[in-house]
Amino acid sequence: MQTNFSAAQLSDPHVAESEKILRKCVHCGFCTATCPTYVTLGNELDSPRGRIYLIKDMLENGRPADKEIVTHIDRCLSCLACMTTCPSGVNYMHLVDHARAHIQETYKRPLLDRLKRAMLAFVLPYPNRFRAALKFAGLGRPFIGLFEKLPALKPVAAMLKLAPPAIPPASPMASPATHAGKGARRGRVAILTGCAQSVLDPAINEATISLLTRLGVEVVVPEGEGCCGALVHHMGREGQALASARQNVDVWTRAIEQGGLDAIIITASGCGTTIKDYGFMLRLDPAYAEKAARVSALAKDVTEYLAALDLPEPVRKPGTVVAYHSACSMQHGQKITRQPKELLAKAGFVVREPREGHLCCGSAGTYNILQPDISAKLRDRKVKNIEATGASVVATGNIGCITQITSAAKLPVVHTIKLLDWAYGGPKPEGVSERVLAAAE
Ligand code: SF4
Ligand code: SF4
């Protein structure tokens, strides 16, 4: 694509980067076919190509964001299906991240929208605040029907519907500690405790630590870890996102210096995509660029790490039919497609893949709260495809997808690691009924 940026504009490294991306796009439109918002809404401006044109126009003319561009960029899930499809290697992720930051800087949203976003950015990345907010959700639940009728309060209704009826207690395993590996030492890793996941389902990291240590891997939960920054990054809040990134880079750099790390294990693929991008996000910060690149290189999804270990024979041979839902951040963001399915199959599960596996479930960070109508359509489409597999349980590697699919599916949805941990001798995953697994044992 031809671009017309001035030399002065290109002196801004963010603009220069976006210009490079824009020039790669050949307007072929292949990406439209796999874009969930284009498939759902049928509007070119809600396709990757349409958004690329809107972003180009805004940046090239050096103008502030307007209502039209904000509408169409807000509807983008950042699912990155377009990047998987694009034959020209257009880095849509970095382009839309830049557009979101530009929107945040130059556009004044309506008051209610600003409040909603400020509240999400204040609560979600902090486990204590999030836990407290979930406790209050019970009080609002009786009013869901009323909130749904008022367009301005639909996001509140969406949030209340997603909030689980019971919140598990905080896990002692989330506290800073070193969990020694059993038997012959096979590695040393740090694990991201995370934010929302540690509140909604602390058993995911418990299963991860339990399985890794049984396999001989020492797992460090370092002091001072926080949210990876993805939630606010996708809202264009660059300052907050970069502060989170720097904090984690410092924490993991200390862990590397104090005993070495073979990997930084991440159990939420949404976080993994962002942490693998820390090197890019902090490239312009001389104090952090090198350290951040090192952290990104060490970041591994837990299935990616496990697939590189020589796993023993599983303790159980379950035979349970599992529908594997590949989170967008797993398949498009990190290009991890094979490993989770192969690990499940090796552990004795029968893996089925739902149709339209490339399409997002509509979770996408805070998308299911901020865009509840599109999100619900995508969720229902996803659940229909999952249920058509005839599986008795769904496995996936991202807490956002687990919450989203659980809100509409009849079958249990669990993190892949819980099924693996069980097959290799761990406890039954709590989210799966005794009946589902007992029948298969
Ligand atoms: S990130 Fe997803 S929703 Fe956004 S343009 Fe690409 S395919 Fe469409
Ligand atoms: S597939 Fe790639 S090159 Fe083609 S229009 Fe989409 S982003 Fe541009």
Side-chain angles (χ1 to χ4, degrees):
M1 181 185 287
Q2 206 188 352
T3 57
N4 289 301
F5 289 91
S6 68
Q9 285 175 309
L10 293 174
S11 65
D12 176 339
H14 299 287
V15 174
E17 186 65 36
S18 288
E19 193 244 9
K20 266 200 290 184
I21 299 168
L22 288 166
R23 290 181 78 87
K24 280 196 169 178
C25 176
V26 295
H27 340 188
C28 65
F30 288 170
C31 51
T32 57
T34 56
C35 171
T37 54
Y38 182 73
V39 168
T40 306
L41 305 169
N43 179 349
E44 171 74 16
L45 293 180
D46 288 314
S47 78
R49 184 172 59 182
R51 292 186 178 112
I52 287 169
Y53 277 120
L54 288 173
I55 297 169
K56 175 180 185 287
D57 181 55
M58 175 176 73
L59 296 180
E60 224 171 39
N61 292 305
R63 58 179 176 77
D66 58 23
K67 194 164 181 283
E68 185 189 38
I69 188 162
V70 172
T71 300
H72 298 293
I73 297 297
D74 280 357
R75 284 184 192 155
C76 169
L77 296 131
S78 277
C79 69
L80 310 181
C82 47
M83 284 182 64
T84 298
T85 313
C86 176
S88 299
V90 171
N91 193 324
Y92 177 83
M93 175 171 87
H94 290 159
L95 186 67
V96 81
D97 286 347
H98 180 198
R100 288 200 163 110
H102 187 81
I103 288 171
Q104 180 69 12
E105 272 171 31
T106 62
Y107 182 70
K108 189 162 182 192
R109 293 175 181 274
L111 179 64
L112 209 60
D113 199 11
R114 268 183 283 147
L115 287 175
K116 245 172 359 201
R117 286 165 180 269
M119 191 266 291
L120 291 171
F122 179 76
V123 172
L124 288 182
Y126 305 95
N128 290 339
R129 295 178 198 171
F130 185 41
R131 192 172 287 112
L134 286 176
K135 283 187 182 151
F136 279 111
L139 300 174
R141 217 167 268 124
F143 304 103
I144 288 177
L146 175 69
F147 293 156
E148 269 183 326
K149 287 193 190 111
L150 305 168
L153 294 181
K154 268 191 175 182
V156 180
M159 209 162 24
L160 292 171
K161 279 206 259 181
L162 286 166
I167 314 147
S171 168
M173 282 172 125
S175 302
T178 297
H179 301 270
K182 299 188 175 78
R185 185 182 161 124
R186 300 181 74 186
R188 184 177 194 265
V189 300
I191 187 167
L192 170 74
T193 39
C195 54
Q197 178 183 284
S198 69
V199 177
L200 292 168
D201 194 352
I204 293 173
N205 272 4
E206 286 175 357
T208 305
I209 294 172
S210 164
L211 178 58
L212 286 174
T213 50
R214 283 205 308 283
L215 293 169
V217 179
E218 182 172 283
V219 183
V220 184
V221 182
E223 174 104 49
E225 277 181 348
C227 168
C228 69
L231 289 167
V232 287
H233 186 49
H234 292 156
M235 285 195 264
R237 293 172 175 259
E238 273 314 279
Q240 194 178 348
L242 293 181
S244 294
R246 287 190 185 96
Q247 179 185 335
N248 287 328
V249 167
D250 281 339
V251 166
W252 290 325
T253 301
R254 265 199 306 278
I256 294 166
E257 286 164 359
Q258 284 168 3
L261 289 179
D262 299 314
I264 297 162
I265 299 295
I266 297 138
T267 53
S269 58
C271 309
T273 303
T274 298
I275 295 166
K276 287 182 177 181
D277 202 40
Y278 275 2
F280 178 83
M281 288 164 66
L282 291 168
R283 73 197 183 287
L284 302 173
D285 181 340
Y288 278 86
E290 201 179 311
K291 289 187 284 182
R294 181 163 55 164
V295 160
S296 289
L298 281 173
K300 296 265 179 297
D301 183 77
V302 62
T303 55
E304 204 178 1
Y305 183 77
L306 282 173
L309 291 181
D310 189 18
L311 295 188
E313 278 302 302
V315 173
R316 301 183 172 92
K317 278 279 181 188
T320 315
V321 180
V322 174
Y324 175 67
H325 162 72
S326 188
C328 297
S329 42
M330 190 76 84
Q331 58 172 322
H332 305 305
Q334 299 184 59
K335 307 285 182 243
I336 299 172
T337 51
R338 212 175 24 81
Q339 298 91 322
K341 291 180 285 180
E342 287 178 0
L343 286 166
L344 285 167
K346 190 170 178 205
F349 295 95
V350 177
V351 182
R352 293 198 184 144
E353 290 183 69
R355 281 185 59 238
E356 300 186 326
H358 62 282
L359 283 185
C360 182
C361 67
S363 166
T366 54
Y367 192 92
N368 46 8
I369 297 168
L370 295 171
Q371 300 283 340
D373 294 337
I374 305 172
S375 167
K377 282 190 185 130
L378 290 169
R379 179 201 60 201
D380 294 346
R381 187 169 180 151
K382 180 64 68 186
V383 167
K384 200 168 153 213
N385 282 323
I386 285 175
E387 290 183 345
T389 62
S392 47
V393 59
V394 185
T396 188
N398 194 45
I399 187 68
C401 308
I402 293 173
T403 311
Q404 173 83 344
I405 298 169
T406 298
S407 71
K410 293 187 200 81
L411 62 173
V413 188
V414 293
H415 195 287
T416 309
I417 196 70
K418 285 190 181 177
L419 293 179
L420 294 175
D421 182 41
W422 175 69
Y424 285 97
K428 278 184 199 286
E430 237 185 66
V432 185
S433 77
E434 294 281 322
R435 188 183 48 78
V436 168
L437 292 177
E441 264 184 306

